[in-house]
Amino acid sequence: MARRSRVRIPLQLQERSRDHRRTCTEVVTAQVHSKLADYGLQLDGVGVKDIVLPGEMKTILAQVVEAGKSAEANVIRRREETAATRSLLNTAKVMEDNPVALRLKELETLERVAERIDKISVFGGLDQVLNGLVKLR
């Protein structure tokens, strides 16, 4: 007849319970198997179904998980920033060697600015607006 019993898991195993259920099962199996052998009993198998953590441990574990996710998000954010900076550098290199590309970028920038402005008055021609926005050495 199968009998279920509760075994107190060391705190060290509780902290890593989600990632190490198999290890936990192996440790429990080894401990129980050796004790049962002294009585001439044989153990068919052990399974860890649920590990219940005290409230304080749950809170700490949640904070650890949240900190890990936050760190991962920061890494992704930094990669995106690096990629954007690299893209800007490549655009600058292209514009440095190609005056037509520079002029197109100036017009694109002027278009974005004009979309946000209800009314614009230009004196001295379009070159005056562009020269006021972008100064090249």
Coordinates of all heavy atoms in Angstrom, one line a residue, residues 37-83:
A37 N 15.9 1.1 3.7 CA 16.7 -0.2 3.5 C 17.0 -0.8 4.9 O 17.1 -2.0 5.0 CB 18.0 0.1 2.7
D38 N 17.2 0.0 5.9 CA 17.5 -0.5 7.2 C 16.4 -1.3 7.8 O 16.6 -2.2 8.6 CB 17.8 0.7 8.2 CG 19.1 1.4 7.8 OD1 19.9 0.9 7.1 OD2 19.2 2.6 8.3
Y39 N 15.2 -1.1 7.3 CA 14.0 -1.8 7.8 C 13.5 -2.9 6.8 O 12.5 -3.5 7.0 CB 12.8 -0.8 8.0 CG 13.1 0.2 9.1 CD1 13.4 1.5 8.7 CD2 13.0 -0.1 10.4 CE1 13.7 2.5 9.7 CE2 13.3 0.8 11.4 CZ 13.6 2.1 11.0 OH 13.9 3.0 12.0
G40 N 14.3 -3.0 5.7 CA 14.0 -4.1 4.8 C 12.9 -3.7 3.8 O 12.2 -4.5 3.2
L41 N 12.6 -2.4 3.7 CA 11.6 -1.9 2.8 C 12.2 -1.4 1.5 O 13.3 -0.9 1.5 CB 10.8 -0.8 3.4 CG 10.0 -1.2 4.7 CD1 9.4 0.0 5.4 CD2 8.9 -2.2 4.4
Q42 N 11.5 -1.5 0.4 CA 12.0 -1.0 -0.9 C 11.1 0.2 -1.3 O 9.9 0.2 -1.2 CB 11.9 -2.1 -1.9 CG 12.4 -1.7 -3.3 CD 12.3 -2.9 -4.3 OE1 11.8 -3.9 -3.9 NE2 12.7 -2.6 -5.5
L43 N 11.8 1.2 -1.9 CA 11.2 2.4 -2.3 C 11.0 2.3 -3.8 O 12.0 2.1 -4.6 CB 12.0 3.6 -1.9 CG 11.5 5.0 -2.4 CD1 10.2 5.3 -1.6 CD2 12.6 6.0 -2.1
D44 N 9.8 2.5 -4.3 CA 9.5 2.4 -5.8 C 9.8 3.8 -6.4 O 10.3 3.8 -7.5 CB 8.1 2.0 -6.1 CG 7.8 0.6 -5.8 OD1 8.8 -0.2 -5.8 OD2 6.6 0.3 -5.6
G45 N 9.5 4.9 -5.8 CA 9.7 6.2 -6.4 C 9.3 7.3 -5.5 O 8.5 7.1 -4.6
V46 N 9.8 8.4 -5.7 CA 9.5 9.6 -5.0 C 9.2 10.7 -6.0 O 9.9 10.8 -7.0 CB 10.7 10.1 -4.1 CG1 10.4 11.4 -3.4 CG2 10.9 9.0 -3.0
G47 N 8.2 11.5 -5.8 CA 8.0 12.7 -6.7 C 7.7 13.9 -5.8 O 7.0 13.9 -4.8
V48 N 8.2 15.0 -6.3 CA 8.0 16.3 -5.6 C 6.9 17.0 -6.4 O 7.0 17.3 -7.6 CB 9.3 17.2 -5.6 CG1 9.0 18.5 -5.0 CG2 10.4 16.5 -4.9
K49 N 5.7 17.1 -5.7 CA 4.6 17.7 -6.4 C 4.6 19.2 -6.2 O 4.6 20.0 -7.1 CB 3.3 17.1 -5.8 CG 2.1 17.6 -6.5 CD 0.8 17.0 -5.9 CE -0.4 17.6 -6.5 NZ -1.6 17.0 -5.9
D50 N 4.5 19.7 -5.0 CA 4.5 21.1 -4.6 C 5.5 21.3 -3.5 O 5.6 20.5 -2.6 CB 3.1 21.5 -4.2 CG 2.1 21.5 -5.3 OD1 2.5 21.8 -6.4 OD2 1.0 21.2 -5.0
I51 N 6.1 22.5 -3.6 CA 6.9 22.9 -2.5 C 6.3 24.2 -2.0 O 6.2 25.2 -2.8 CB 8.4 23.1 -2.9 CG1 9.0 21.8 -3.4 CG2 9.2 23.7 -1.8 CD1 10.4 21.9 -3.9
V52 N 5.9 24.2 -0.8 CA 5.3 25.4 -0.2 C 6.3 26.2 0.6 O 6.9 25.7 1.5 CB 4.1 25.0 0.7 CG1 3.4 26.2 1.3 CG2 3.1 24.1 0.0
L53 N 6.4 27.5 0.1 CA 7.4 28.3 0.8 C 6.7 29.2 1.8 O 5.5 29.6 1.6 CB 8.1 29.2 -0.2 CG 8.9 28.5 -1.3 CD1 9.3 29.5 -2.4 CD2 10.1 27.8 -0.7
P54 N 7.4 29.6 2.9 CA 6.8 30.5 3.8 C 6.5 31.9 3.1 O 7.2 32.2 2.1 CB 7.8 30.7 4.9 CG 8.7 29.5 4.7 CD 8.6 29.1 3.3
G55 N 5.6 32.7 3.7 CA 5.3 34.0 3.0 C 6.4 34.9 2.8 O 6.6 35.5 1.7
E56 N 7.3 35.0 3.7 CA 8.5 35.8 3.6 C 9.4 35.3 2.5 O 9.9 36.1 1.7 CB 9.3 35.8 4.9 CG 10.5 36.8 4.9 CD 11.2 36.8 6.2 OE1 10.5 37.0 7.3 OE2 12.4 36.6 6.3
M57 N 9.5 34.0 2.3 CA 10.4 33.4 1.3 C 9.7 33.7 -0.1 O 10.4 34.0 -1.1 CB 10.5 31.9 1.5 CG 11.5 31.6 2.6 SD 13.1 32.1 2.3 CE 13.5 31.2 0.8
K58 N 8.4 33.6 -0.2 CA 7.7 33.9 -1.4 C 8.0 35.4 -1.9 O 8.2 35.6 -3.0 CB 6.2 33.7 -1.3 CG 5.8 32.3 -1.2 CD 4.3 32.2 -1.1 CE 3.8 30.8 -0.9 NZ 2.4 30.6 -0.7
T59 N 7.9 36.3 -0.9 CA 8.2 37.7 -1.2 C 9.6 37.9 -1.7 O 9.8 38.6 -2.7 CB 7.9 38.6 0.1 OG1 6.6 38.3 0.5 CG2 8.1 40.0 -0.2
I60 N 10.5 37.3 -1.0 CA 11.9 37.4 -1.4 C 12.2 36.8 -2.8 O 12.8 37.4 -3.7 CB 12.9 36.8 -0.4 CG1 12.8 37.6 0.9 CG2 14.3 36.6 -0.9 CD1 13.5 36.9 2.1
L61 N 11.6 35.7 -3.1 CA 11.7 35.0 -4.4 C 11.1 35.9 -5.5 O 11.7 36.0 -6.5 CB 11.0 33.6 -4.3 CG 11.2 32.8 -5.6 CD1 12.7 32.5 -5.8 CD2 10.5 31.4 -5.4
A62 N 9.9 36.5 -5.2 CA 9.3 37.4 -6.2 C 10.2 38.6 -6.5 O 10.3 39.0 -7.6 CB 7.9 37.8 -5.7
Q63 N 10.9 39.1 -5.4 CA 11.8 40.2 -5.6 C 13.0 39.8 -6.5 O 13.4 40.6 -7.3 CB 12.2 40.8 -4.3 CG 11.1 41.5 -3.5 CD 11.5 41.9 -2.1 OE1 12.5 41.5 -1.6 NE2 10.7 42.8 -1.5
V64 N 13.5 38.6 -6.2 CA 14.6 38.2 -7.0 C 14.2 38.0 -8.5 O 15.0 38.4 -9.4 CB 15.1 36.8 -6.4 CG1 16.1 36.1 -7.4 CG2 15.8 37.1 -5.1
V65 N 13.1 37.4 -8.7 CA 12.6 37.2 -10.1 C 12.4 38.6 -10.8 O 12.8 38.8 -11.9 CB 11.3 36.4 -10.1 CG1 10.7 36.4 -11.5 CG2 11.6 35.0 -9.7
E66 N 11.8 39.5 -10.0 CA 11.5 40.9 -10.6 C 12.9 41.6 -10.9 O 13.0 42.2 -12.0 CB 10.7 41.7 -9.6 CG 10.4 43.1 -10.1 CD 9.5 43.8 -9.1 OE1 8.9 43.2 -8.2 OE2 9.5 45.1 -9.2
A67 N 13.8 41.4 -10.0 CA 15.1 42.1 -10.3 C 15.8 41.5 -11.5 O 16.4 42.2 -12.3 CB 16.0 41.9 -9.1
G68 N 15.7 40.2 -11.7 CA 16.3 39.5 -12.8 C 15.6 40.0 -14.1 O 16.3 40.2 -15.1
K69 N 14.3 40.1 -14.1 CA 13.6 40.5 -15.3 C 13.9 42.0 -15.6 O 14.1 42.4 -16.8 CB 12.0 40.4 -15.1 CG 11.6 39.0 -15.1 CD 11.9 38.2 -16.3 CE 11.4 36.8 -16.2 NZ 11.7 36.0 -17.4
S70 N 14.1 42.8 -14.6 CA 14.4 44.2 -14.8 C 15.8 44.3 -15.4 O 16.0 45.1 -16.3 CB 14.4 44.9 -13.5 OG 14.8 46.3 -13.6
A71 N 16.7 43.5 -14.9 CA 18.1 43.5 -15.5 C 18.1 43.0 -17.0 O 18.8 43.6 -17.8 CB 19.0 42.5 -14.7
E72 N 17.3 42.0 -17.3 CA 17.2 41.6 -18.7 C 16.6 42.7 -19.6 O 17.0 42.9 -20.7 CB 16.3 40.4 -18.8 CG 16.9 39.1 -18.3 CD 15.9 37.9 -18.3 OE1 14.9 38.0 -19.1 OE2 16.1 37.0 -17.6
A73 N 15.6 43.4 -19.1 CA 15.0 44.5 -19.8 C 16.0 45.6 -20.1 O 16.0 46.2 -21.1 CB 13.8 45.1 -19.1
N74 N 16.8 45.9 -19.1 CA 17.9 46.9 -19.2 C 18.9 46.5 -20.3 O 19.3 47.4 -21.1 CB 18.6 47.2 -17.9 CG 17.8 48.1 -16.9 OD1 16.9 48.8 -17.4 ND2 18.0 47.9 -15.7
V75 N 19.2 45.3 -20.3 CA 20.2 44.8 -21.3 C 19.6 45.0 -22.7 O 20.3 45.5 -23.6 CB 20.6 43.3 -21.1 CG1 21.3 42.7 -22.3 CG2 21.4 43.2 -19.8
I76 N 18.3 44.6 -22.9 CA 17.6 44.8 -24.2 C 17.6 46.3 -24.6 O 17.9 46.6 -25.7 CB 16.2 44.2 -24.1 CG1 16.4 42.7 -24.0 CG2 15.4 44.6 -25.4 CD1 15.1 41.9 -23.7
R77 N 17.3 47.1 -23.6 CA 17.2 48.6 -23.9 C 18.5 49.1 -24.3 O 18.6 49.9 -25.2 CB 16.7 49.3 -22.6 CG 16.1 50.6 -22.8 CD 15.5 51.2 -21.5 NE 14.4 50.4 -21.0 CZ 14.4 49.8 -19.8 NH1 15.4 50.0 -19.0 NH2 13.4 49.1 -19.4
R78 N 19.6 48.7 -23.6 CA 20.9 49.2 -24.0 C 21.3 48.7 -25.4 O 22.0 49.4 -26.2 CB 22.0 48.7 -23.0 CG 21.8 49.2 -21.6 CD 21.8 50.7 -21.5 NE 21.5 51.1 -20.2 CZ 20.4 51.8 -19.9 NH1 19.5 52.1 -20.8 NH2 20.1 52.2 -18.6
R79 N 21.0 47.5 -25.8 CA 21.3 47.0 -27.1 C 20.5 47.8 -28.2 O 21.1 48.1 -29.2 CB 20.8 45.5 -27.2 CG 21.7 44.5 -26.6 CD 21.3 43.1 -26.9 NE 22.0 42.2 -26.1 CZ 21.5 41.1 -25.6 NH1 20.3 40.7 -25.9 NH2 22.2 40.3 -24.8
E80 N 19.3 48.1 -27.9 CA 18.5 49.0 -28.8 C 19.1 50.4 -29.0 O 19.2 50.9 -30.1 CB 17.1 49.1 -28.4 CG 16.3 47.8 -28.5 CD 14.9 47.8 -28.0 OE1 14.5 48.9 -27.4 OE2 14.2 46.8 -28.1
E81 N 19.6 50.9 -27.8 CA 20.2 52.2 -27.9 C 21.5 52.2 -28.7 O 21.8 53.1 -29.5 CB 20.5 52.7 -26.5 CG 19.3 53.1 -25.7 CD 19.6 53.5 -24.2 OE1 20.7 53.4 -23.8 OE2 18.6 53.8 -23.5
T82 N 22.3 51.1 -28.5 CA 23.5 51.0 -29.2 C 23.3 50.8 -30.7 O 24.0 51.4 -31.5 CB 24.3 49.7 -28.7 OG1 24.6 49.9 -27.3 CG2 25.6 49.5 -29.4
A83 N 22.3 50.1 -31.1 CA 21.9 49.9 -32.5 C 21.5 51.2 -33.1 O 21.8 51.5 -34.2 CB 20.8 48.8 -32.6

